[in-house]
Amino acid sequence: MGLSKTEQFTDEEILIARFAKALGHPARIAILRVLLERKACICGDIVDELPLSQSTVSQHLKELKEAGLIQGDIDGKKVCYCINEQVWKQAQETLGILFQSYTASDTSCC
Amino acid sequence: MGLSKTEQFTDEEILIARFAKALGHPARIAILRVLLERKACICGDIVDELPLSQSTVSQHLKELKEAGLIQGDIDGKKVCYCINEQVWKQAQETLGILFQSYTASDTSCC
DNA sequence: TTTTATAATCGTAAAATTACGATTAATGTA
DNA sequence: TACATTAATCGTAATTTTACGATTATAAAA
């Protein structure tokens, strides 16, 4: 029925999937790229850089924020976004561990 | 509406998002875990390990296969799945570069 | 050849995602 | 105070994802 059934999996599996899912759209990668380049960035600037409407970008920002990867600080009538260092490193590590756990085997498949 | 508009983004953004999306569900992380542990694995064994129906697991396997992260070799009336080393390393690298491009800034946000 | 086992595919339904325009809330400016 | 700007939220529609049971195709076994 389209539900995620998240209860059935381990916390780590859910965490990794959560980070990965947040990264699972080109627009959100593009947003992160802008933030990574400029260190910090006003929402409007991000909208200008992307081929998407303001409301759509805002939605993507919300998803990145909900995954914890970015944070937004209110600055007057603008909102300044930036990478959340702590969570970013956590995502890097959990995903890194997953990828590193592969040890090239002599026999590729059966 | 509801379309991905992938044409508007760079090939690299699309590629990273593609890998991340494939990893964006706990069931698929769980599947990969099984494959990483056992090196190679019969489809049926994966079904036994997961709290999902055979058809649902098959669907998740298909998505991982379409992203290139795994491959399936027919072995009699069974199908043996394993990590696709080349693509796995490519995903590791592209995602790794993204994560590493963050350099902790002195000023966290505005 | 018939039966059994394995795994993909089909059909279907519910839910989530993506996208946009319009509206709203909040803050700064005239 | 009235106006303008900024960004979130609402409402809506199309698409995609998730999930399952049922069916199908294939190959091994009886």
Side-chain angles (χ1 to χ4, degrees):
Chain A
M1 289 114 189
L3 239 175
S4 11
K5 269 199 168 185
T6 42
E7 327 78 40
Q8 320 254 26
F9 300 98
T10 71
D11 288 347
E12 212 197 351
E13 281 159 1
I14 293 166
L15 184 70
I16 295 177
R18 220 166 74 91
F19 287 139
K21 193 177 181 187
L23 298 175
H25 194 287
R28 293 195 286 273
I29 300 296
I31 289 172
L32 290 170
R33 264 222 202 309
V34 175
L35 292 180
L36 288 163
E37 267 175 34
R38 305 202 195 174
K39 302 266 178 185
C41 200
I42 299 302
C43 172
D45 297 342
I46 303 169
V47 174
D48 292 342
E49 296 249 5
L50 296 200
L52 296 170
S53 73
Q54 182 265 320
S55 58
T56 302
V57 172
S58 193
Q59 222 171 274
H60 282 300
L61 284 167
K62 192 181 176 189
E63 279 173 77
L64 286 169
K65 207 160 59 178
E66 275 168 1
L69 293 170
I70 66 170
Q71 65 190 80
D73 289 0
I74 294 166
D75 174 33
K77 65 179 165 184
K78 306 186 174 182
V79 175
C80 176
Y81 282 99
C82 66
I83 302 288
N84 182 319
E85 180 176 349
Q86 215 172 0
V87 181
W88 185 260
K89 289 190 173 173
Q90 188 190 16
Q92 178 174 30
E93 198 183 313
T94 41
L95 278 164
I97 288 170
L98 178 74
F99 277 111
Q100 282 158 31
S101 67
Y102 175 77
T103 51
S105 56
D106 19 16
T107 54
S108 58
C109 225
C110 307
Chain B
M1 300 98 198
L3 239 175
S4 13
K5 268 198 167 185
T6 41
E7 327 80 38
Q8 320 254 28
F9 300 99
T10 70
D11 287 348
E12 212 198 351
E13 282 160 359
I14 293 166
L15 184 70
I16 295 177
R18 218 165 76 90
F19 287 139
K21 194 178 182 187
L23 298 175
H25 194 287
R28 292 195 285 273
I29 301 296
I31 289 172
L32 289 171
R33 264 223 203 308
V34 175
L35 292 180
L36 287 163
E37 267 175 34
R38 306 201 194 173
K39 303 266 179 184
C41 201
I42 299 301
C43 172
D45 298 343
I46 302 170
V47 173
D48 292 342
E49 296 249 5
L50 295 201
L52 296 170
S53 73
Q54 181 265 319
S55 58
T56 302
V57 172
S58 193
Q59 221 171 274
H60 283 300
L61 284 167
K62 192 181 174 188
E63 279 172 75
L64 287 169
K65 208 160 58 178
E66 275 168 1
L69 293 170
I70 67 171
Q71 64 191 80
D73 290 358
I74 294 166
D75 174 33
K77 64 180 166 184
K78 306 187 174 183
V79 175
C80 176
Y81 282 100
C82 66
I83 303 287
N84 182 319
E85 180 177 349
Q86 216 173 357
V87 181
W88 185 261
K89 290 190 172 173
Q90 188 189 16
Q92 179 174 29
E93 199 183 313
T94 40
L95 278 164
I97 289 170
L98 178 73
F99 277 111
Q100 281 158 32
S101 67
Y102 174 76
T103 51
S105 56
D106 18 15
T107 54
S108 58
C109 225
C110 307

